[in-house]
Amino acid sequence: MNQNELNNMREQLEILKRKIEHEERMGEKQIRRAMRKKMSYINRQGLFFVLLALSAIPFFIWSRRILPISDTFCWVTCGFLAVAALYTHLIHSKLSAEDITQEHLVTVARKLTALKRSYTRWLFFSIPFLVFWICWYIRELKTILSPEIYTTVLIGCAVGGVIGGLIGTYKHIRVQRSCSEMLEQIEDITKES
């Protein structure tokens, strides 16, 4: 093998190496683009929860005209909704879809893990509070409604509560699953590097 053939082989190896690096970068860009879409979905869900909680506050206050519950119950409920909206906003504000494309993947993974943990932490507070709130609401209804209406309202509230609980659980699971999928993608990318 002469020097010319050897130089030619080196050039071909260098071209091949550049092509492989380019394909790796393109693969990472495509994965980041997919992760960005998932992050946009997660943040839309967070915005949905915030808007839902904030819109429920004036609705709850207005509904007191129809169903005269106690002031304490009303303000505790509104306070819980405000805390839920603030907490959701705060945990979602730490990671945006833009961060996925710009930040180092290890930093993104850390923020995603914190987001998942925050969602789980919220359950440890909100579920016991909601059990307490439901019991209190039943007691409030019993004191202001006649027995005939009480049963009907209670059934309506139970159906609404079950439907709301199922929707909330479904959305919670989807957000957690999206975070887990993105963490797996980040792990795959960092293993290849």
Side-chain angles (χ1 to χ4, degrees):
M1 189 179 286
N2 64 25
Q3 186 64 29
N4 210 12
E5 289 175 340
L6 192 58
N7 286 339
N8 194 18
M9 285 177 66
R10 283 184 187 147
E11 286 177 24
Q12 288 177 352
L13 277 173
E14 191 61 37
I15 290 170
L16 182 63
K17 183 179 174 185
R18 281 195 299 260
K19 281 184 179 180
I20 290 172
E21 287 173 356
H22 177 72
E23 286 180 19
E24 285 176 353
R25 279 195 306 272
M26 292 306 292
E28 184 175 332
K29 282 183 183 178
Q30 288 174 334
I31 290 172
R32 281 183 183 258
R33 208 172 295 127
M35 288 171 45
R36 181 182 172 158
K37 284 183 182 178
K38 284 184 184 175
M39 194 64 227
S40 292
Y41 166 78
I42 289 170
N43 283 335
R44 278 193 313 273
Q45 293 305 304
L47 180 61
F48 170 77
F49 288 132
V50 168
L51 293 176
L52 183 66
L54 291 177
S55 63
I57 293 171
F59 177 75
F60 196 77
I61 293 170
W62 173 83
S63 70
R64 290 186 62 222
R65 293 179 182 169
I66 300 166
L67 201 60
I69 55 171
S70 70
D71 287 343
T72 306
F73 182 77
C74 179
W75 296 121
V76 167
T77 302
C78 292
F80 173 77
L81 291 169
V83 168
L86 179 64
Y87 184 81
T88 303
H89 171 71
L90 290 175
I91 64 174
H92 281 272
S93 66
K94 295 176 183 172
L95 186 61
S96 70
E98 293 301 316
D99 293 341
I100 297 292
T101 57
Q102 296 172 357
E103 286 192 11
H104 192 275
L105 288 177
V106 174
T107 304
V108 172
R110 191 171 19 87
K111 288 181 177 182
L112 280 170
T113 303
L115 180 69
K116 279 186 71 170
R117 231 182 263 131
S118 296
Y119 260 78
T120 303
R121 210 174 300 134
W122 176 251
L123 291 179
F124 286 116
F125 167 72
S126 64
I127 290 175
F129 178 83
L130 287 174
V131 168
F132 167 74
W133 184 88
I134 290 168
C135 293
W136 189 5
Y137 191 57
I138 291 169
R139 190 171 149 257
E140 287 278 329
L141 291 176
K142 195 168 196 164
T143 60
I144 60 175
L145 297 175
S146 66
E148 304 84 37
I149 298 174
Y150 172 73
T151 306
T152 306
V153 171
L154 198 58
I155 290 170
C157 289
V159 170
V162 168
I163 291 170
L166 290 174
I167 291 170
T169 301
Y170 172 74
K171 289 191 173 287
H172 174 81
I173 289 170
R174 287 219 31 213
V175 166
Q176 291 284 38
R177 187 179 301 140
S178 293
C179 286
S180 295
E181 288 170 359
M182 287 193 300
L183 285 168
E184 287 172 14
Q185 288 173 332
I186 290 172
E187 189 177 319
D188 290 344
I189 291 172
T190 54
K191 279 183 181 177
E192 292 170 4
S193 302

